[in-house]
Amino acid sequence: MINSESQGSGSHWVQITEQTRLQASPLPDREQPVWEGSRLRRKLLIKRSAAILVIGTVTALLGWSVVAGINHATATYTTIEGTVTAQTESPRSRTASCQLDMSYTVDGQELHGVAKTNAYCNTLPPVGSHARINVASSDPHDIWLEGIDDAGHPNPILFAVFLVVAPFAIAFALWTELTDFGAARKLVDSGVQWRKIRATVVSKSGGRAGVILWLKANGVSGEPSTFGIFYRFASPVGPVRKGDSVELSIIADGQRHALLWRPETQDVDLIHTNQPPAFVA
Protein backbone atom coordinates (compact mmCIF):
# COMPACT_ATOMS: atom_id res chain seq x y z
CA MET A 1 0.00 0.00 0.00
CA ILE A 2 1.45 3.35 -0.98
CA ASN A 3 1.08 6.75 0.54
CA SER A 4 -1.47 8.44 -1.74
CA GLU A 5 -0.78 11.84 -0.21
CA SER A 6 2.90 11.73 -1.10
CA GLN A 7 2.07 10.67 -4.64
CA GLY A 8 -0.38 13.54 -4.98
CA SER A 9 2.05 16.24 -3.77
CA GLY A 10 4.14 16.57 -6.91
CA SER A 11 6.33 13.47 -6.83
CA HIS A 12 7.24 12.14 -10.28
CA TRP A 13 6.36 8.47 -9.93
CA VAL A 14 3.34 6.19 -9.99
CA GLN A 15 2.80 2.87 -8.20
CA ILE A 16 1.49 0.72 -11.05
CA THR A 17 1.58 -2.60 -9.12
CA GLU A 18 2.54 -3.54 -5.58
CA GLN A 19 6.15 -4.10 -6.64
CA THR A 20 6.52 -1.72 -9.57
CA ARG A 21 6.98 2.03 -9.19
CA LEU A 22 7.52 3.90 -12.45
CA GLN A 23 8.88 7.29 -13.37
CA ALA A 24 5.98 9.58 -14.28
CA SER A 25 5.17 13.16 -15.12
CA PRO A 26 2.44 15.08 -13.29
CA LEU A 27 -0.61 16.29 -15.21
CA PRO A 28 -1.67 19.40 -13.25
CA ASP A 29 -4.02 20.57 -16.01
CA ARG A 30 -5.92 17.29 -16.11
CA GLU A 31 -9.12 17.48 -14.04
CA GLN A 32 -9.72 14.82 -11.44
CA PRO A 33 -12.40 12.29 -12.40
CA VAL A 34 -15.85 12.49 -10.84
CA TRP A 35 -17.86 9.46 -9.76
CA GLU A 36 -21.51 10.46 -9.49
CA GLY A 37 -23.12 10.67 -12.92
CA SER A 38 -19.97 9.57 -14.76
CA ARG A 39 -19.99 7.21 -17.74
CA LEU A 40 -17.49 5.00 -15.92
CA ARG A 41 -19.88 4.58 -12.98
CA ARG A 42 -22.81 3.73 -15.28
CA LYS A 43 -20.77 1.23 -17.29
CA LEU A 44 -19.42 -0.59 -14.24
CA LEU A 45 -22.83 -0.55 -12.57
CA ILE A 46 -24.34 -2.24 -15.63
CA LYS A 47 -21.57 -4.87 -15.63
CA ARG A 48 -22.02 -5.58 -11.93
CA SER A 49 -25.81 -5.73 -12.24
CA ALA A 50 -25.53 -8.12 -15.19
CA ALA A 51 -23.20 -10.40 -13.22
CA ILE A 52 -25.56 -10.41 -10.24
CA LEU A 53 -28.48 -11.14 -12.58
CA VAL A 54 -26.63 -14.13 -14.09
CA ILE A 55 -25.82 -15.55 -10.65
CA GLY A 56 -29.37 -14.95 -9.43
CA THR A 57 -30.93 -16.53 -12.53
CA VAL A 58 -28.76 -19.64 -12.34
CA THR A 59 -29.46 -19.96 -8.61
CA ALA A 60 -33.21 -19.61 -9.15
CA LEU A 61 -33.27 -22.19 -11.97
CA LEU A 62 -31.25 -24.69 -9.97
CA GLY A 63 -33.44 -24.08 -6.92
CA TRP A 64 -36.56 -24.67 -9.02
CA SER A 65 -35.03 -27.89 -10.37
CA VAL A 66 -34.34 -29.14 -6.85
CA VAL A 67 -37.92 -28.39 -5.74
CA ALA A 68 -39.36 -29.92 -8.92
CA GLY A 69 -37.19 -33.01 -8.49
CA ILE A 70 -38.26 -33.45 -4.87
CA ASN A 71 -41.92 -33.02 -5.83
CA HIS A 72 -41.55 -35.66 -8.54
CA ALA A 73 -39.68 -38.08 -6.27
CA THR A 74 -42.38 -37.83 -3.58
CA ALA A 75 -45.40 -37.72 -5.91
CA THR A 76 -47.99 -40.50 -6.03
CA TYR A 77 -48.45 -42.35 -9.30
CA THR A 78 -50.18 -45.28 -10.93
CA THR A 79 -48.43 -47.95 -13.01
CA ILE A 80 -50.30 -48.96 -16.16
CA GLU A 81 -49.54 -50.39 -19.58
CA GLY A 82 -49.20 -48.16 -22.64
CA THR A 83 -48.38 -48.54 -26.32
CA VAL A 84 -45.26 -47.08 -27.95
CA THR A 85 -46.34 -44.95 -30.93
CA ALA A 86 -42.96 -43.40 -31.84
CA GLN A 87 -39.27 -43.37 -30.91
CA THR A 88 -37.03 -40.33 -31.25
CA GLU A 89 -33.32 -40.54 -30.55
CA SER A 90 -31.56 -37.23 -29.91
CA PRO A 91 -28.81 -36.77 -32.54
CA ARG A 92 -27.17 -33.93 -30.55
CA SER A 93 -26.79 -35.81 -27.29
CA ARG A 94 -23.36 -37.22 -26.47
CA THR A 95 -24.96 -39.73 -24.12
CA ALA A 96 -27.85 -42.16 -24.44
CA SER A 97 -31.10 -40.26 -24.99
CA CYS A 98 -34.38 -41.51 -26.40
CA GLN A 99 -37.91 -40.16 -26.32
CA LEU A 100 -40.92 -42.48 -26.52
CA ASP A 101 -44.35 -41.25 -27.58
CA MET A 102 -46.90 -43.29 -25.68
CA SER A 103 -50.61 -43.95 -26.00
CA TYR A 104 -52.41 -45.08 -22.83
CA THR A 105 -55.78 -45.02 -21.09
CA VAL A 106 -56.61 -43.41 -17.76
CA ASP A 107 -60.14 -43.65 -16.33
CA GLY A 108 -61.46 -44.75 -19.71
CA GLN A 109 -59.93 -41.77 -21.55
CA GLU A 110 -57.25 -42.36 -24.17
CA LEU A 111 -54.28 -40.06 -23.66
CA HIS A 112 -50.97 -39.38 -25.37
CA GLY A 113 -47.77 -38.48 -23.59
CA VAL A 114 -43.99 -38.40 -23.94
CA ALA A 115 -41.51 -40.35 -21.83
CA LYS A 116 -37.90 -39.13 -21.99
CA THR A 117 -35.16 -41.58 -21.06
CA ASN A 118 -31.40 -41.79 -20.63
CA ALA A 119 -31.17 -44.88 -22.85
CA TYR A 120 -30.59 -45.81 -26.47
CA CYS A 121 -33.73 -46.38 -28.52
CA ASN A 122 -32.66 -49.87 -29.58
CA THR A 123 -32.68 -50.95 -25.93
CA LEU A 124 -36.28 -49.80 -25.36
CA PRO A 125 -39.63 -51.29 -26.41
CA PRO A 126 -40.05 -50.79 -30.20
CA VAL A 127 -42.89 -48.93 -31.88
CA GLY A 128 -46.18 -50.85 -31.59
CA SER A 129 -45.14 -52.78 -28.49
CA HIS A 130 -46.44 -52.41 -24.96
CA ALA A 131 -44.49 -50.89 -22.08
CA ARG A 132 -45.26 -50.28 -18.43
CA ILE A 133 -45.43 -46.58 -17.54
CA ASN A 134 -45.91 -44.59 -14.36
CA VAL A 135 -48.59 -41.90 -14.51
CA ALA A 136 -48.54 -39.07 -11.97
CA SER A 137 -51.78 -38.85 -9.99
CA SER A 138 -51.75 -35.05 -10.12
CA ASP A 139 -51.22 -34.87 -13.90
CA PRO A 140 -52.15 -37.81 -16.16
CA HIS A 141 -49.99 -36.39 -18.95
CA ASP A 142 -46.87 -36.64 -16.76
CA ILE A 143 -45.47 -40.10 -17.49
CA TRP A 144 -42.18 -42.01 -17.27
CA LEU A 145 -41.16 -45.56 -18.12
CA GLU A 146 -41.01 -47.97 -15.21
CA GLY A 147 -37.53 -49.30 -14.49
CA ILE A 148 -35.81 -47.06 -17.08
CA ASP A 149 -33.48 -44.16 -16.23
CA ASP A 150 -35.78 -41.14 -16.38
CA ALA A 151 -34.59 -38.00 -18.22
CA GLY A 152 -37.85 -36.08 -18.10
CA HIS A 153 -37.59 -34.98 -14.47
CA PRO A 154 -34.69 -33.31 -12.62
CA ASN A 155 -32.60 -35.36 -10.23
CA PRO A 156 -32.93 -33.45 -6.91
CA ILE A 157 -29.62 -34.72 -5.49
CA LEU A 158 -27.65 -33.83 -8.62
CA PHE A 159 -29.19 -30.38 -8.88
CA ALA A 160 -28.70 -29.79 -5.16
CA VAL A 161 -24.97 -30.32 -5.70
CA PHE A 162 -25.08 -27.87 -8.61
CA LEU A 163 -26.99 -25.40 -6.43
CA VAL A 164 -24.20 -25.47 -3.85
CA VAL A 165 -21.31 -25.26 -6.33
CA ALA A 166 -22.47 -23.37 -9.44
CA PRO A 167 -23.27 -19.90 -7.96
CA PHE A 168 -19.84 -19.74 -6.32
CA ALA A 169 -18.12 -20.92 -9.50
CA ILE A 170 -19.92 -18.29 -11.57
CA ALA A 171 -19.15 -15.59 -9.00
CA PHE A 172 -15.47 -16.56 -9.19
CA ALA A 173 -15.55 -16.37 -13.01
CA LEU A 174 -17.28 -12.97 -12.88
CA TRP A 175 -15.21 -11.65 -9.98
CA THR A 176 -13.89 -8.64 -11.90
CA GLU A 177 -17.40 -7.66 -12.99
CA LEU A 178 -18.55 -7.88 -9.37
CA THR A 179 -15.64 -5.95 -7.83
CA ASP A 180 -14.68 -3.38 -10.48
CA PHE A 181 -17.41 -0.96 -9.36
CA GLY A 182 -16.03 -0.68 -5.83
CA ALA A 183 -12.41 -0.57 -7.02
CA ALA A 184 -13.08 2.30 -9.42
CA ARG A 185 -14.96 4.28 -6.81
CA LYS A 186 -12.09 3.81 -4.36
CA LEU A 187 -9.61 5.15 -6.92
CA VAL A 188 -11.76 8.16 -7.76
CA ASP A 189 -12.13 9.01 -4.06
CA SER A 190 -8.47 8.33 -3.20
CA GLY A 191 -7.16 11.75 -4.15
CA VAL A 192 -4.28 10.22 -6.13
CA GLN A 193 -3.33 12.58 -8.96
CA TRP A 194 -3.06 11.90 -12.68
CA ARG A 195 0.36 10.79 -13.87
CA LYS A 196 1.71 10.30 -17.38
CA ILE A 197 4.10 7.51 -18.26
CA ARG A 198 5.64 6.43 -21.54
CA ALA A 199 5.92 2.69 -22.10
CA THR A 200 6.95 0.30 -24.85
CA VAL A 201 4.88 -2.72 -25.86
CA VAL A 202 6.84 -5.90 -25.06
CA SER A 203 4.40 -8.68 -25.93
CA LYS A 204 0.91 -10.07 -25.53
CA SER A 205 -0.08 -13.28 -23.79
CA GLY A 206 -3.56 -14.73 -23.92
CA GLY A 207 -5.66 -17.47 -22.41
CA ARG A 208 -9.26 -18.39 -21.71
CA ALA A 209 -9.63 -15.58 -19.18
CA GLY A 210 -8.42 -12.85 -21.54
CA VAL A 211 -5.30 -11.08 -22.79
CA ILE A 212 -2.41 -9.42 -20.96
CA LEU A 213 -0.57 -6.65 -22.77
CA TRP A 214 2.97 -6.49 -21.40
CA LEU A 215 4.60 -3.04 -21.30
CA LYS A 216 8.01 -1.79 -20.22
CA ALA A 217 8.74 1.64 -18.73
CA ASN A 218 11.50 3.24 -16.67
CA GLY A 219 11.28 2.54 -12.97
CA VAL A 220 12.19 5.10 -10.30
CA SER A 221 15.69 3.59 -10.16
CA GLY A 222 16.15 4.26 -13.87
CA GLU A 223 16.06 0.56 -14.74
CA PRO A 224 13.26 -0.66 -17.08
CA SER A 225 10.33 -2.33 -15.33
CA THR A 226 7.68 -4.55 -16.92
CA PHE A 227 4.00 -4.56 -16.04
CA GLY A 228 0.88 -5.94 -17.65
CA ILE A 229 -2.58 -4.65 -18.50
CA PHE A 230 -5.28 -7.32 -18.52
CA TYR A 231 -8.35 -7.13 -20.77
CA ARG A 232 -10.97 -9.52 -22.15
CA PHE A 233 -11.91 -7.99 -25.49
CA ALA A 234 -10.66 -4.64 -26.88
CA SER A 235 -7.30 -3.32 -25.74
CA PRO A 236 -7.78 -0.35 -23.36
CA VAL A 237 -4.74 1.38 -24.91
CA GLY A 238 -5.94 0.93 -28.49
CA PRO A 239 -4.47 -1.22 -31.28
CA VAL A 240 -0.74 -1.65 -30.63
CA ARG A 241 2.02 -4.00 -31.73
CA LYS A 242 5.29 -5.17 -30.23
CA GLY A 243 7.78 -2.30 -30.11
CA ASP A 244 5.15 0.46 -30.20
CA SER A 245 5.56 3.37 -27.79
CA VAL A 246 2.43 4.39 -25.88
CA GLU A 247 1.70 7.28 -23.55
CA LEU A 248 -0.56 6.47 -20.61
CA SER A 249 -2.37 8.98 -18.41
CA ILE A 250 -3.29 7.04 -15.29
CA ILE A 251 -4.33 7.12 -11.66
CA ALA A 252 -3.01 4.08 -9.78
CA ASP A 253 -2.39 3.05 -6.19
CA GLY A 254 -0.60 -0.27 -6.71
CA GLN A 255 -3.64 -2.43 -5.94
CA ARG A 256 -4.03 -4.06 -9.42
CA HIS A 257 -6.48 -1.42 -10.62
CA ALA A 258 -5.89 1.90 -12.33
CA LEU A 259 -7.89 4.61 -14.06
CA LEU A 260 -6.79 5.30 -17.63
CA TRP A 261 -7.64 8.42 -19.61
CA ARG A 262 -7.42 8.20 -23.38
CA PRO A 263 -7.35 11.63 -25.06
CA GLU A 264 -8.59 10.19 -28.37
CA THR A 265 -11.83 9.05 -26.71
CA GLN A 266 -11.95 11.72 -23.99
CA ASP A 267 -13.03 9.02 -21.59
CA VAL A 268 -11.86 7.35 -18.38
CA ASP A 269 -11.72 3.56 -18.10
CA LEU A 270 -10.79 1.15 -15.34
CA ILE A 271 -7.88 -1.15 -16.19
CA HIS A 272 -6.36 -4.15 -14.42
CA THR A 273 -2.61 -4.23 -13.93
CA ASN A 274 -0.43 -7.32 -13.50
CA GLN A 275 2.96 -8.00 -12.00
CA PRO A 276 5.02 -9.96 -14.57
CA PRO A 277 6.29 -13.50 -14.02
CA ALA A 278 10.05 -13.92 -14.06
CA PHE A 279 10.24 -14.98 -17.71
CA VAL A 280 8.49 -11.77 -18.87
CA ALA A 281 10.37 -9.40 -16.60
Side-chain angles (χ1 to χ4, degrees):
M1 187 68 179
I2 66 165
N3 188 322
S4 298
E5 183 179 355
S6 67
Q7 185 179 345
S9 63
S11 53
H12 295 181
W13 53 267
V14 62
Q15 192 84 22
I16 196 69
T17 69
E18 290 184 358
Q19 302 175 25
T20 304
R21 183 177 293 184
L22 303 175
Q23 294 180 11
S25 303
L27 291 173
D29 297 331
R30 176 70 192 143
E31 293 182 359
Q32 289 298 101
V34 294
W35 182 245
E36 295 298 330
S38 66
R39 178 183 173 276
L40 176 63
R41 180 183 183 276
R42 290 194 299 270
K43 181 172 66 175
L44 295 181
L45 181 60
I46 290 172
K47 288 174 60 179
R48 186 179 69 171
S49 300
I52 293 173
L53 179 62
V54 169
I55 296 171
T57 300
V58 170
T59 302
L61 289 174
L62 291 174
W64 174 87
S65 297
V66 171
V67 173
I70 292 174
N71 289 339
H72 170 68
T74 57
T76 58
Y77 60 89
T78 303
T79 303
I80 62 174
E81 194 171 80
T83 302
V84 180
T85 59
Q87 283 189 346
T88 306
E89 195 154 27
S90 175
R92 297 182 179 180
S93 177
R94 296 183 179 180
T95 58
S97 177
C98 184
Q99 172 182 299
L100 296 187
D101 289 29
M102 304 294 300
S103 175
Y104 54 99
T105 301
V106 175
D107 295 333
Q109 182 181 4
E110 186 176 355
L111 300 174
H112 300 276
V114 173
K116 297 179 180 180
T117 70
N118 292 316
Y120 293 106
C121 286
N122 59 9
T123 65
L124 299 175
V127 175
S129 65
H130 297 294
R132 292 182 64 79
I133 59 174
N134 298 323
V135 182
S137 301
S138 59
D139 181 7
H141 292 92
D142 184 8
I143 65 173
W144 59 99
L145 288 178
E146 186 181 49
I148 304 297
D149 192 10
D150 177 35
H153 302 88
N155 183 325
I157 297 177
L158 177 63
F159 278 93
V161 173
F162 287 152
L163 181 60
V164 172
V165 175
F168 294 100
I170 296 173
F172 179 78
L174 298 177
W175 188 250
T176 56
E177 285 72 14
L178 292 170
T179 58
D180 278 356
F181 184 88
R185 183 171 187 173
K186 179 182 176 182
L187 277 170
V188 171
D189 295 340
S190 67
V192 177
Q193 302 298 304
W194 285 105
R195 292 289 184 269
K196 180 172 65 177
I197 63 174
R198 180 164 291 280
T200 301
V201 178
V202 177
S203 63
K204 291 182 183 180
S205 60
R208 291 184 178 182
V211 178
I212 300 180
L213 178 68
W214 295 107
L215 303 163
K216 184 170 289 186
N218 288 332
V220 291
S221 65
E223 294 295 323
S225 296
T226 301
F227 64 97
I229 295 178
F230 170 83
Y231 61 93
R232 294 189 189 274
F233 304 108
S235 169
V237 300
V240 292
R241 295 177 299 179
K242 181 178 179 180
D244 286 353
S245 178
V246 294
E247 191 174 80
L248 306 178
S249 299
I250 64 175
I251 289 176
D253 63 359
Q255 301 302 305
R256 300 199 64 178
H257 293 89
L259 298 178
L260 174 69
W261 176 66
R262 291 178 61 183
E264 66 271 25
T265 61
Q266 291 293 306
D267 207 359
V268 176
D269 281 313
L270 181 72
I271 61 174
H272 305 84
T273 60
N274 288 69
Q275 187 71 26
F279 71 87
V280 174

